[in-house]
Amino acid sequence: SSSEPELQELFGAFGRVDELLLPLDAETRRAKGFAHVTFSICEHAVRAMSELDGSTFQGRILHVMPGRARARPAAEAGGAAGGTSSFKRKREEAQKAQAGSSHNWNPLFMR
């Protein structure tokens, strides 16, 4: 099983590593078998990926893949779907503008 210092040394040869995450299994407290490495300069990451993909590390073949952008939280993104359509945004703005109106009763709650 690999440790963070070993991976730091391996990937650090290609440039400055900003972040290295080595997820651990909750039950066994051992590495899950993959890691996330973030470089400070993207050219270093590309070079590390091209040179290390398919190479051998500690008797195992490495498969290095580019990362995907992290998903933004729903509150930041403007909704659960990752954004709000212009129609929905306009409707919400209109509802907020009418919120102070005294004739704005919801008929479902009237007796």
Side-chain angles (χ1 to χ4, degrees):
S1 173
S2 302
S3 66
E4 284 189 28
E6 293 168 337
L7 291 172
Q8 180 74 33
E9 182 181 336
L10 177 69
F11 285 96
F14 297 97
R16 182 168 168 248
V17 175
D18 279 347
E19 185 177 26
L20 190 135
L21 298 173
L22 189 63
L24 300 176
D25 186 278
E27 293 176 13
T28 63
R29 306 300 294 164
R30 296 185 66 202
K32 289 186 173 185
F34 61 93
H36 298 276
V37 181
T38 306
F39 284 89
S40 58
I41 300 174
C42 62
E43 287 82 13
H44 296 165
V46 171
R47 192 171 54 130
M49 184 176 69
S50 65
E51 292 186 29
L52 290 177
D53 190 29
S55 67
T56 305
F57 176 67
Q58 295 183 347
R60 295 182 179 245
I61 296 174
L62 290 178
H63 183 60
V64 183
M65 301 181 314
R68 289 176 268 169
R70 293 181 181 160
R72 297 186 309 173
E76 238 182 77
T84 307
S85 69
S86 60
F87 172 77
K88 186 174 179 181
R89 193 175 7 199
K90 287 178 185 176
R91 186 181 68 197
E92 287 174 353
E93 288 172 4
Q95 288 174 344
K96 286 179 183 179
Q98 291 179 351
S101 175
S102 61
H103 65 278
N104 182 353
W105 293 94
N106 186 341
L108 296 175
F109 295 107
M110 294 178 74
R111 291 186 183 192

